[in-house]
Amino acid sequence: MGGKMVPFAGYEMPLQYKTGIMKEHLFCRESAALFDVSHMGQIILRAKSQKKSEIAESLESLIPVDLVNLSENRQRYGFLLNDDGGIVDDLMISNRGENFTIVVNASRKDVDLKLLQSKLGDKLEIQMLTDKSLIAIQGPKSEEILSNVFEGIADLHFLDVKTFRYQGDNVEVSRSGYTGEDGFEISISNKLVEKFSQTLLADPSVTLAGLGARDSLRLEGSLCLYGQDISEDISPIEAGLTWAIQKSRREGGEREGNFPGANNILYQIKNGVKKARIGLIPEGKAPIRAGTKLFSDKNGSDYIGEVTSGGYSPSLSKPISMAYILGNENKSKTFFAEVRGTFLPVRKVKMPFMNNNFKR
C-alpha cells in the first residue's frame, strides 16, 4: 500500500503512506483512519479452577485498578508495576466472562508475559495469542463505516467489548483506541485480517495511517507513550494517571493496596510527587522534542526537567510537548528549553491539548 517502513519495537512498521503524516492525521480527525497495530501483544487469561472470579482477584495482585468490579464485556486501562511503583507497562484489560484479555505494548510483550506467568501461573492459564491480528479504525466516521460490516456497532459505548461474526469466525471489537477520537480496535484472525481491511478501505471515508500520525494524534490527546512518557522509573501518580486507580484500591478502599509498589503509590496519592508530567506550548514555531532539557531561567542555570514527547500539532497548527518537571506544585507558568545552546521560552498549559471525542 506504499507504506514507508521503519524498524519499531522489533518489527517493520509503516511510518506513513503516500499521502504523508499530516494528511493522515487530519483525515483521522475529520473522517476515519485505519491503523495496523498487530505488533502489540494480545494475552488471554483463564482460571485453572474454572472459577471466573479468580482471574480478576489474581490480576489485582499485580495491577492497581478495580478488576473485581469490572463488568463483563467492559474494558479498563491499567498498568503493571514494579516493587517501587514504577510502570512496567500500561495496558488495556477486558472482562470477557470466561476469560480476561490484555493488550500490551510491543516492546514489553516478553517482559509482561514472563511477569504474569511467574506471579500468576499457578492459578491462571496465560497465553500470548499468535493467530490474531489487531487493527484500529479511528475517527468520527468509524462507527458508520464499521456498521456496514457488523450490525449493532452503534450500540457500543466507550470501552464496551463485543464479539461479532465475520466470514464464519469470531471477531472481538472494543470501542477504544489511542488517538483521542471515537473508534474501535478489532482483534481478528490472521487469515482474515487482509480481506477485512480491504473491505474497510473500499470506503472512501477511510485512509491508511502509520506510526507518524498515530504519534501526533496521541500527543494531541496527551496520551502517554511507553518508553518515552512512562517507564519503570516513573509512577502512575507522577505521570498524572492517578484517575486510573479506583477508590477501592486506594487508602481506605475495600481492597486497599496489595499490589507491587503499593506503599509508594499510596504515599504519593496522599502527599504529592517530586516530579510531574505537564503540557507545554513553545512560544515560537519550532517543535521542542523529546530529550530537550528545561530550565526555570533563560540563562540555563536552574535545571527543572526534561521533555519526553514533542512535535508539531497538525490540528492546532502549532508545536506541543509533554515534559516532567521537578517540584510537587511548581507554580511557574514559563520555562526555558535548551535548543542548540539557545534557551527558548515554553508555556505550561493544561492537558489534554485537545478534548477527547469518545462516545461515553
Side-chain angles (χ1 to χ4, degrees):
M1 301 297 289
K4 179 182 178 182
M5 308 302 286
V6 296
F8 181 81
Y11 294 84
E12 267 196 308
M13 295 290 292
L15 176 66
Q16 64 183 67
Y17 293 90
K18 294 176 182 178
T19 54
I21 294 172
M22 180 83 74
K23 288 184 179 179
E24 291 168 16
H25 177 115
L26 294 173
F27 205 95
C28 181
R29 289 276 185 241
E30 295 162 6
S31 187
L34 184 68
F35 300 85
D36 179 4
V37 289
S38 300
H39 60 307
M40 301 184 77
Q42 301 179 67
I43 299 174
I44 189 166
L45 306 100
R46 298 181 178 92
K48 290 182 176 180
S49 67
Q50 306 301 314
K51 186 180 178 182
K52 292 189 288 186
S53 62
E54 197 163 39
I55 310 174
E57 292 166 1
S58 298
L59 281 172
E60 281 198 0
S61 69
L62 295 181
I63 300 172
V65 304
D66 186 346
L67 298 176
V68 168
N69 295 310
L70 179 61
S71 300
E72 191 170 329
N73 297 323
R74 288 286 292 166
Q75 191 176 62
R76 182 159 280 168
Y77 176 76
F79 15 74
L80 291 166
L81 301 177
N82 61 29
D83 290 340
D84 295 323
I87 302 173
V88 174
D89 197 9
D90 66 327
L91 33 81
M92 297 299 296
I93 313 148
S94 301
N95 178 357
R96 301 314 318 276
E98 296 299 323
N99 61 70
F100 272 55
T101 58
I102 301 178
V103 178
V104 302
N105 285 299
S107 64
R108 307 299 284 177
K109 282 200 289 195
D110 293 338
V111 172
D112 294 354
L113 187 61
K114 288 177 183 176
L115 177 61
L116 290 166
Q117 288 175 334
S118 65
K119 299 292 186 181
L120 307 180
D122 58 332
K123 293 183 178 180
L124 305 182
E125 293 178 1
I126 303 163
Q127 178 190 5
M128 181 78 71
L129 300 179
T130 57
D131 60 343
K132 297 282 189 180
S133 295
L134 191 66
I135 58 175
I137 182 167
Q138 302 280 293
K141 294 186 180 179
S142 55
E143 178 188 289
E144 176 187 338
I145 293 157
L146 213 53
S147 292
N148 294 326
V149 184
F150 299 128
E151 186 177 347
I153 279 291
D155 297 332
L156 298 184
H157 292 85
F158 183 53
L159 299 183
D160 281 345
V161 189
K162 188 175 180 179
T163 302
F164 294 88
R165 297 286 288 176
Y166 179 77
Q167 301 286 306
D169 266 18
N170 284 345
V171 177
E172 311 300 326
V173 179
S174 64
R175 195 156 198 160
S176 58
Y178 219 59
T179 61
E181 288 295 332
D182 183 25
F184 303 84
E185 292 184 315
I186 302 146
S187 176
I188 184 170
S189 69
N190 294 340
K191 64 184 180 181
L192 290 175
V193 66
E194 188 172 340
K195 182 177 182 180
F196 182 82
S197 298
Q198 287 173 338
T199 298
L200 297 183
L201 289 167
D203 190 318
S205 299
V206 187
T207 191
L208 276 169
L211 288 175
R214 187 169 168 82
D215 191 52
S216 56
L217 288 159
R218 68 93 194 167
L219 180 55
E220 287 182 347
S222 301
L223 302 170
C224 294
L225 177 64
Y226 195 89
Q228 285 191 206
D229 309 296
I230 50 178
S231 68
E232 293 210 37
D233 297 323
I234 296 170
S235 78
I237 317 309
E238 293 168 332
L241 302 174
T242 308
W243 57 266
I245 303 175
Q246 286 74 35
K247 290 182 179 179
S248 62
R249 308 303 309 280
R250 300 190 193 186
E251 185 177 333
E254 57 264 34
R255 295 187 312 287
E256 171 188 337
N258 193 33
F259 53 81
N263 288 342
N264 285 349
I265 296 295
L266 298 179
Y267 177 88
Q268 289 178 352
I269 291 175
K270 185 175 182 179
N271 300 293
V273 291
K274 294 180 180 178
K275 62 180 178 181
R277 181 170 64 102
I278 63 166
L280 296 172
I281 291 182
E283 291 189 8
K285 294 183 179 180
I288 307 298
R289 302 193 184 277
T292 303
K293 289 180 169 52
L294 299 170
F295 298 86
S296 65
D297 64 309
K298 59 185 177 182
N299 299 316
S301 60
D302 183 25
Y303 174 83
I304 196 71
E306 188 170 309
V307 173
T308 53
S309 286
Y312 182 79
S313 163
S315 303
L316 300 174
S317 300
K318 58 187 173 185
I320 55 176
S321 299
M322 294 194 298
Y324 282 89
I325 58 164
L326 302 174
N328 181 17
E329 296 183 14
N330 195 301
K331 302 296 185 182
S332 299
K333 294 293 185 183
T334 301
F335 304 102
F336 295 87
E338 183 181 9
V339 180
R340 294 185 294 275
T342 302
F343 296 92
L344 305 176
V346 291
R347 180 167 44 89
K348 179 180 174 182
V349 296
K350 288 184 178 181
M351 296 189 293
F353 300 101
M354 289 188 63
N355 290 330
N356 296 320
N357 294 315
F358 307 133
K359 182 180 177 180
R360 304 245 179 222

